Amino acid sequence: MKGHWIDNQWVDDDPEDFIEVCNPATEEILERVPAGSEANAHRAVESAKAAFDGWRKTPAIERAALLHEATAKMRANWSELVELLTLEEGKPVPENEEELEWVAGTFDYYAELGRHYRGRVLPSPEPENQLNLVLKEPYGVVGCIVPWNYPLLLLSWKMAPALAAGNTVVIKPSEMTPLSTLFLAEKCFDHLPPGVVNVVTGYGAPVGEALVSHPDVPVIAFTGSLQTGQRISQLAAPLIKHLHLELGGKDAFVIGPDIEIEPSAKALAYSALLNCGQVCTSTERVYVAENVSKDFTDALVEQVNNLRLGPGIESTTDVGPMIGEKFRAKFETHIQEAQSQGAQVLTGGRRPPEFERGFFYEPTVLTDVDHSMLIMSEETFGPAIPLMTYKTFDEAIQLVNDTQNGLGAVLRSNDARLIKTFFEEVRAGTIWINDPLTDNFAGPFGGMRMSGNARELGQEGLDSFLETKHVHWDFSPEAKDWWYPY
Ligand code: NAD
């Protein structure tokens, strides 16, 4: 056991309380980490606070060089990082390779963006003797609270812009996937000044809550469930914190009336089953045009039946396990509730009997579902593809928007009128036409409505970690006409 990573060293590496980190494919214990306390979180905040002044005054070009050095270290430790991610999170190796490419790319992107942006100059009321500046300044200590489904990617979308902007960070990884984060901090960020990057392991309460309630942590950058986002909002309200919230989704996928069947079935299977359906933007509801419904459903079932289930570490695996028993049991409830109300399972619908251990569940295609069922209304976060048919495109749009969420939405079509209607009428932070779940370093990602209030990536992702200050500077010695006395 290594302890917490604070001030570039291991702290509390022999605690009384610890968490056993489990491999979801085998249920074996991989490692133990401290179940941190409020005191551990406070100690990390003190370190981050002490490091802030030096880091914010470090020239941005030097900060950029240090962040590029971190990505070089990631590349030097590539295979170990990929293996750790695979063992603790469960998804297949190619998906973890991709996750790590995103992490390295995000640090490189923000290293550059951070060194060319400081604010702007405004036209002044008296241009000859005045200067008006809009300064963009780091906040201080940023608390990064991260879920388990993309432990490093979702961390990098917070940590890279926060550091590039001159903030310091205290990271609280998920209690289920802390190992890759600890490895990253130790092996790839140890050249930054002590206190700039700190990691405290443990549960949401007390560690996460200690960060949220700490007066010296002005920003909480959180990705996770709606329920935790609501709890964080309550705790942070009295302190008027800057909250950056990326919450759950219930993303829809619309199959247009003009589609090509085979590629569309492949696109949907990928969009719904990537990371075993445990992506915040996983397709969770599908609306299929009536005229293609029969052929499309057959092609989809065939596609899903060809996928190979197994441990992520095996090269033959397409779909890995779910993260844990609690999540699989909730998923199963959604499937069973739908079946009890008349849904038909076309394939899947059970724990695969060939695996005695591991949190596997067969990818499951359902029809005869409607919005009264949990599987179409609550976040399911597992390998389910529930299909409904629609008659008119207006009906499809209405169904897509019939949710409190608004993270992403996908359309397969090449009809320009349908595409324009879709991206104008659907209320979601990301719209994918034909190519689901493809992100872009420069393209802001985040949710509308109850899917959150933040944007990560792009210029917007840097702005989230910069505070705005207006400077009005007059350098003439004379008194103004409008000053007292009148
Ligand atoms: P979660 O909310 O249970 O946990 C997320 C993190 O918050 C963990 O580190 C956890 O320990 C911490 N936490 C829990 N309770 C806390 C509290 N009271 N105070 C402070 N921190 C607390 O979510 P999860 O199960 O880890 O992740 C899955 C959820 O994340 C899904 O709802 C998914 O949609 C969402 N998600 C959203 C995005 C996005 O970008 N919008 C991306 C990935 C995942």
Side-chain angles (χ1 to χ4, degrees):
M1 186 159 28
K2 287 187 163 165
H4 309 290
W5 180 254
I6 298 175
D7 262 340
N8 285 1
Q9 56 192 337
W10 296 113
V11 169
D12 198 15
D13 53 4
D14 187 21
E16 277 180 24
D17 290 334
F18 52 81
I19 296 170
E20 292 183 327
V21 182
C22 163
N23 177 343
T26 61
E27 302 181 40
E28 284 162 6
I29 303 306
L30 293 166
E31 173 69 282
R32 297 186 313 179
V33 298
S37 62
E38 198 177 76
N40 297 134
H42 289 182
R43 179 162 174 193
V45 172
E46 271 167 38
S47 296
K49 189 181 173 195
F52 172 57
D53 208 41
W55 184 245
R56 83 181 168 95
K57 289 178 181 160
T58 301
I61 193 164
E62 282 176 33
R63 288 201 298 260
L66 292 166
L67 295 182
H68 285 309
E69 196 179 331
T71 63
K73 289 181 173 183
M74 286 173 213
R75 298 208 180 274
N77 288 284
W78 197 260
S79 50
E80 273 176 279
L81 271 166
V82 168
E83 188 179 328
L84 257 187
L85 276 172
T86 308
L87 293 178
E88 69 176 349
E89 201 277 336
K91 63 187 176 297
V93 167
E95 294 180 24
N96 288 309
E97 295 269 6
E98 201 198 347
E99 171 161 5
L100 209 50
E101 283 294 350
W102 266 96
V103 176
T106 302
F107 277 99
D108 280 338
Y109 174 75
Y110 279 112
E112 292 307 305
L113 207 59
R115 75 191 180 96
H116 101 131
Y117 182 62
R118 176 79 168 99
R120 64 189 199 272
V121 182
L122 302 180
S124 299
E126 297 177 18
E128 283 173 14
N129 53 288
Q130 289 179 345
L131 204 52
N132 282 69
L133 307 173
V134 179
L135 298 185
K136 295 287 180 177
E137 300 189 336
Y139 284 88
V141 180
V142 174
C144 301
I145 303 181
V146 184
W148 49 265
N149 62 337
Y150 287 88
L152 297 187
L153 178 144
L154 294 168
L155 171 62
S156 72
W157 289 8
K158 298 160 183 55
M159 181 179 168
L163 292 180
N167 302 278
T168 56
V169 297
V170 178
I171 300 157
K172 211 293 285 165
S174 166
E175 54 275 25
M176 283 172 279
T177 54
L179 304 179
S180 49
T181 305
L182 290 170
F183 184 97
L184 187 86
E186 182 196 14
K187 303 285 187 204
C188 307
F189 287 90
D190 58 330
H191 60 289
L192 268 58
V196 172
V197 172
N198 309 277
V199 184
V200 183
T201 59
Y203 294 105
V207 176
E209 296 204 358
L211 294 178
V212 177
S213 311
H214 200 299
D216 291 330
V217 183
V219 185
I220 293 293
F222 168 77
T223 298
S225 62
L226 171 65
Q227 293 70 24
T228 308
Q230 288 168 327
R231 170 77 181 146
I232 287 175
S233 301
Q234 282 169 347
L235 289 174
L239 293 160
I240 320 293
K241 292 207 177 197
H242 178 79
L243 284 189
H244 171 108
L245 302 175
E246 295 280 5
L247 309 177
K250 189 72 191 166
D251 283 13
F253 194 127
V254 175
I255 299 293
D258 59 314
I259 51 132
E260 287 174 17
I261 300 283
E262 296 299 328
S264 298
K266 269 193 137 168
L268 173 57
Y270 171 78
S271 190
L273 301 177
L274 181 73
N275 197 4
C276 200
Q278 302 170 118
V279 187
C280 53
T281 49
S282 285
T283 292
E284 296 228 342
R285 304 177 282 145
V286 187
Y287 306 105
V288 187
E290 204 175 30
N291 63 315
V292 294
S293 175
K294 166 86 179 66
D295 291 347
F296 178 78
T297 305
D298 291 347
L300 177 70
V301 169
E302 191 184 332
Q303 175 69 28
V304 170
N305 283 340
N306 285 337
L307 298 176
R308 296 156 302 180
L309 220 57
I313 206 76
E314 289 178 8
S315 62
T316 48
T317 295
D318 297 310
V319 179
M322 297 183 71
I323 188 70
E325 182 49 36
K326 184 177 87 177
F327 295 83
R328 181 168 63 168
K330 178 189 153 193
F331 174 83
E332 211 160 32
T333 309
H334 285 199
I335 301 280
Q336 286 163 356
E337 192 243 22
Q339 282 182 291
S340 74
Q341 293 189 35
Q344 302 297 317
V345 169
L346 300 186
T347 187
R350 57 177 191 164
R351 298 176 180 215
E354 64 271 29
F355 293 100
E356 281 175 15
R357 316 235 30 186
F359 308 115
F360 293 95
Y361 201 95
E362 289 180 348
T364 302
V365 178
L366 301 106
T367 55
D368 299 307
V369 294
D370 63 46
H371 283 204
S372 71
M373 300 174 184
L374 293 171
I375 197 113
M376 293 299 277
S377 57
E378 299 267 316
E379 190 178 46
T380 300
F381 228 57
I385 315 184
L387 308 171
M388 274 176 80
T389 53
Y390 66 86
K391 287 187 169 54
T392 65
F393 201 66
D394 283 350
E395 185 194 348
I397 299 280
Q398 216 175 2
L399 288 164
V400 171
N401 282 333
D402 181 25
T403 171
Q404 284 303 308
N405 294 111
L407 200 50
V410 187
L411 170 65
R412 286 282 303 182
S413 173
N414 283 312
D415 181 326
R417 275 171 213 264
L418 299 188
I419 293 168
K420 183 165 178 291
T421 303
F422 191 79
F423 68 64
E424 285 181 348
E425 297 302 322
V426 168
R427 298 207 58 204
T430 305
I431 303 288
W432 286 286
I433 308 295
N434 293 327
D435 181 19
L437 308 196
T438 296
D439 294 322
N440 182 327
F441 292 111
F445 175 93
M448 293 182 175
R449 297 190 277 182
M450 291 181 87
S451 289
N453 60 7
R455 288 295 177 273
E456 299 188 320
L457 299 180
Q459 179 66 42
E460 289 85 348
L462 183 66
D463 281 335
S464 297
F465 299 99
L466 288 164
E467 204 158 23
T468 302
K469 182 186 277 176
H470 178 208
V471 177
H472 172 74
W473 177 10
D474 188 310
F475 29 88
S476 71
E478 289 87 31
K480 304 292 178 195
D481 294 346
W482 57 87
W483 292 352
Y484 296 126
Y486 292 132

